[in-house]
Amino acid sequence: MCGIVGIVGTEPVNQSLYDSLLVLQHRGQDAAGIVTCEEDKLHLRKNNGLASDVFNTDHMIRLRGNMGIGHVRYPTAGCSSSAEAQPFYVNSPYGIVLAHNGNLTNADDLKQDLFREDLRHINTESDSEILLNIFAHGLSSYPPHLTLSEEDIFRAVETVHQRCQGGYAAVAMIPGYGIIAFRDPHGIRPVVFGERDTPNGKEFMVASESVALDTLGFNLVRDVAPGEAVIITQNGEFHARQCAENPQRSPCIFEFVYFARPDSIIDDIFVHKARQRMGKKLARKIQRQWANHDIDVVIPIPDTSRTAALSLANKLGLPYTEGFIKNRYIGRTFIMPGQTARRKSVRRKLNPIDVEFKGKNVLLVDDSIVRGTTSKQIVQMAREAGANKVYLASAAPPVRYPNVYGIDMPAASELVASGRSTAEVCEIIGADKLIYQDLDDLIEAVQKKGMVKVDRFDASVFNGEYVTGDVTADYLQELESCRNDSAKNERNHTRADVIDLHNGA
């Protein structure tokens, strides 16, 4: 999962891009990058780390220009090397930089095609570089000319949709021309755009989430539609066109469960309200199946589950309290590389308030249970804090299947609910009772009553149904073998050795 942003301004955009990355930091904590355009010259800064660590005053001064794009990353494909930090650049044709959120399911085939047929070389293991080169090759497939037009851009995006499979939202920039944003034909990954008026004219912005627009004073116009491309020229001209055949809006439902900030709006759905409805749905399930419960208090596992937990407590008429203090300087645990790092980080991240647990039957509410590492330790922490009984409720259904569209859940063997019943998962995490949200209830909670804009959701991590229709058992097996924790650690270690040798040469 990553965050992308692009701005066409009337004044330097370096500070606005940086501020946007801070707002989108929850979408990726591994690396950050910004490219700005000053007339026809590009200025780039990217590296591993949080945005606040990657950029200092000297870097910001050098990021000159009234147009630019930015990216925050956590790796699903490729490795964690700083060489794979985005945006990526290719010089032919015109010179293009691109930042990408998502995952291409046919990346291996595309890489071979680019080398053998398109005569393009890929330098990294990132599918974002593949996407950039597919887009660039689409632009170079027509006779080059000095004046690039929107027709050229739209044809290139059409080529992307014809060749690329998977989930992707991308923002690209061409020096001397403008910024382009496009979204896969299923709209799996989010991207929105907005505008604001300034004394010097109108400015435009595209971003992964609407909250980035809000904080910079941009007015949200709408989502980029599935399969659509939008163009904002450096002169402030706006163009949009549908570039895919038979697009079907199928956003990732896990965005609403976990990834997106609660103050964001995705595909016209207010994330905060969706999470409130998740809590109410979960409360109704408890009322149906456990009417004689002995819960004394509802405690959220911060931060993402707070909204659902409060809604659940209100529906059940139970006290709600904060029982864990969170260290905000520890990143999200399930996207951390390796089980060892996750186990260590949970204890550093959360500390229980003993008085809220002692002698009570507590219902802990979490947004989801992925690998089970966090859940098991938190249940144990609640017991050590003096809880009489510890129950756990998940605002999402069991995560049983890998995610192939850009979320770090590639290995089914690492998912605690894969091939296990609720009772078996409950025993593993050590809870006295485990309650999962039903998938139908989750879908109804996110797709608010009367909503007709969303055709369906990608809920593949819950039901194994992949909306792109190209995911096979062989593909999932290959994905597991190359992207499980062991494979990632080995790949990152090997990459680090190569970099150290090179630097020491």
Side-chain angles (χ1 to χ4, degrees):
M1 187 62 60
C2 301
I4 60 173
V5 61
I7 300 176
V8 176
T10 58
E11 296 179 350
V13 296
N14 52 356
Q15 186 65 51
S16 293
L17 288 169
Y18 174 77
D19 291 343
S20 300
L21 296 187
L22 294 181
V23 174
L24 296 174
Q25 189 75 81
H26 62 285
R27 300 188 66 86
Q29 301 152 19
D30 182 72
I34 290 175
V35 178
T36 58
C37 181
E38 182 185 25
E39 296 179 352
D40 60 351
K41 186 176 182 180
L42 295 175
H43 304 283
L44 166 67
R45 167 63 183 172
K46 61 179 181 177
N47 207 344
N48 280 357
L50 301 175
S52 58
D53 297 325
V54 171
F55 304 99
N56 60 34
T57 301
D58 289 340
H59 301 137
M60 298 299 290
I61 290 173
R62 296 189 191 104
L63 291 170
R64 299 182 298 272
N66 293 3
M67 180 170 69
I69 66 175
H71 186 267
V72 288
R73 175 185 189 254
Y74 92 85
T76 51
C79 66
S80 297
S81 165
S82 60
E84 299 200 357
Q86 297 185 41
F88 283 114
Y89 170 77
V90 66
N91 70 338
S92 177
Y94 305 106
I96 308 169
V97 288
L98 178 141
H100 160 232
N101 172 32
N103 187 62
L104 303 183
T105 54
N106 64 335
D108 289 343
D109 292 339
L110 290 172
K111 188 172 183 178
Q112 293 298 320
D113 291 344
L114 283 167
F115 179 71
R116 294 172 180 171
E117 300 176 17
D118 301 345
L119 303 181
R120 285 182 171 269
H121 180 72
I122 304 299
N123 297 300
T124 71
E125 296 298 318
S126 173
D127 59 345
S128 301
E129 189 186 9
I130 294 173
L131 182 66
L132 168 59
N133 277 272
I134 294 292
F135 176 65
H137 188 73
L139 276 178
S140 64
S141 297
Y142 305 94
H145 44 82
L146 295 177
T147 305
L148 187 64
S149 72
E150 63 269 20
E151 292 297 324
D152 301 321
I153 301 293
F154 290 137
R155 283 198 300 263
V157 176
E158 288 175 5
T159 300
V160 170
H161 293 329
Q162 290 164 5
R163 298 182 66 179
C164 296
Q165 298 172 353
Y168 51 90
V171 58
M173 180 171 64
I174 301 176
Y177 179 76
I179 282 178
I180 305 100
F182 55 90
R183 194 178 182 192
D184 74 82
H186 294 88
I188 297 172
R189 301 267 72 89
V191 62
V192 299
F193 69 91
E195 60 185 31
R196 69 181 177 188
D197 292 319
T198 73
N200 297 321
K202 194 180 293 290
E203 296 183 327
F204 294 88
M205 178 176 178
V206 297
S208 292
E209 294 184 34
S210 62
V211 65
L213 278 65
D214 297 340
T215 56
L216 269 70
F218 283 81
N219 298 313
L220 173 65
V221 175
R222 61 175 174 85
D223 299 89
V224 176
E228 184 183 33
V230 300
I231 300 171
I232 306 158
T233 70
Q234 63 179 5
N235 298 322
E237 298 174 0
F238 179 85
H239 307 276
R241 180 180 297 178
Q242 178 55 249
C243 297
E245 296 182 2
N246 303 316
Q248 185 180 42
R249 191 180 300 268
S250 309
C252 174
I253 203 165
F254 213 75
E255 288 277 358
F256 301 91
V257 170
Y258 177 78
F259 268 108
R261 271 186 36 161
D263 43 349
S264 285
I265 300 171
I266 298 175
D267 288 308
D268 204 31
I269 300 171
F270 194 3
V271 176
H272 172 73
K273 291 293 186 181
R275 290 178 183 167
Q276 281 185 329
R277 294 190 290 267
M278 291 178 205
K280 291 179 181 177
K281 292 283 188 182
L282 194 54
R284 292 191 184 111
K285 181 173 182 178
I286 292 174
Q287 290 173 330
R288 291 193 309 268
Q289 298 185 0
W290 193 20
N292 61 342
H293 67 78
D294 58 351
I295 303 168
D296 294 319
V297 64
V298 175
I299 296 177
I301 298 174
D303 282 320
T304 321
S305 64
R306 282 195 173 106
T307 305
L310 179 58
S311 180
L312 178 148
N314 289 338
K315 184 68 178 177
L316 294 178
L318 291 170
Y320 167 95
T321 189
E322 295 287 340
F324 294 99
I325 298 300
K326 180 180 178 181
N327 181 344
R328 300 185 183 278
Y329 300 97
I330 302 293
R332 290 182 159 187
T333 52
F334 98 79
I335 64 175
M336 286 185 171
Q339 287 291 80
T340 301
R342 294 185 196 104
R343 291 191 188 100
K344 289 181 179 179
S345 68
V346 172
R347 288 284 178 170
R348 297 168 183 166
K349 182 177 182 179
L350 297 175
N351 192 48
I353 304 173
D354 292 2
V355 69
E356 301 296 350
F357 292 90
K358 195 168 185 178
K360 298 178 183 178
N361 298 335
V362 299
L363 176 65
L364 305 179
V365 179
D366 207 350
D367 50 74
S368 58
I369 302 170
V370 181
R371 291 174 169 91
T373 308
T374 301
S375 301
K376 183 176 182 178
Q377 291 196 60
I378 289 176
V379 168
Q380 183 61 32
M381 288 165 64
R383 293 197 189 282
E384 293 172 357
N388 181 37
K389 292 182 180 179
V390 182
Y391 308 123
L392 180 62
S394 169
V399 177
R400 302 188 188 278
Y401 303 93
N403 183 279
V404 301
Y405 301 128
I407 299 178
D408 191 19
M409 303 178 192
S413 61
E414 296 173 359
L415 305 175
V416 69
S418 177
R420 296 188 178 99
S421 66
T422 299
E424 289 171 328
V425 176
C426 184
E427 183 177 356
I428 289 172
I429 64 178
D432 292 293
K433 189 176 184 64
L434 173 62
I435 306 101
Y436 277 113
Q437 184 89 267
D438 292 332
L439 181 55
D440 289 344
D441 285 344
L442 175 63
I443 292 173
E444 287 183 13
V446 179
Q447 191 173 31
K448 62 185 180 183
K449 187 176 181 181
M451 169 64 65
V452 296
K453 189 175 182 180
V454 175
D455 301 315
R456 60 173 176 172
F457 292 97
D458 170 63
S460 53
V461 297
F462 305 124
N463 59 17
E465 298 173 7
Y466 297 93
V467 296
T468 54
D470 62 322
V471 178
T472 65
D474 289 342
Y475 175 83
L476 292 177
Q477 183 59 46
E478 182 181 354
L479 191 73
E480 172 147 1
S481 65
C482 69
R483 294 195 192 171
N484 59 48
D485 281 341
S486 297
K488 280 185 180 179
N489 290 337
E490 181 178 353
R491 184 165 57 246
N492 288 333
H493 177 72
T494 302
R495 181 72 178 182
D497 287 346
V498 171
I499 291 173
D500 288 343
L501 288 171
H502 175 74
N503 289 342

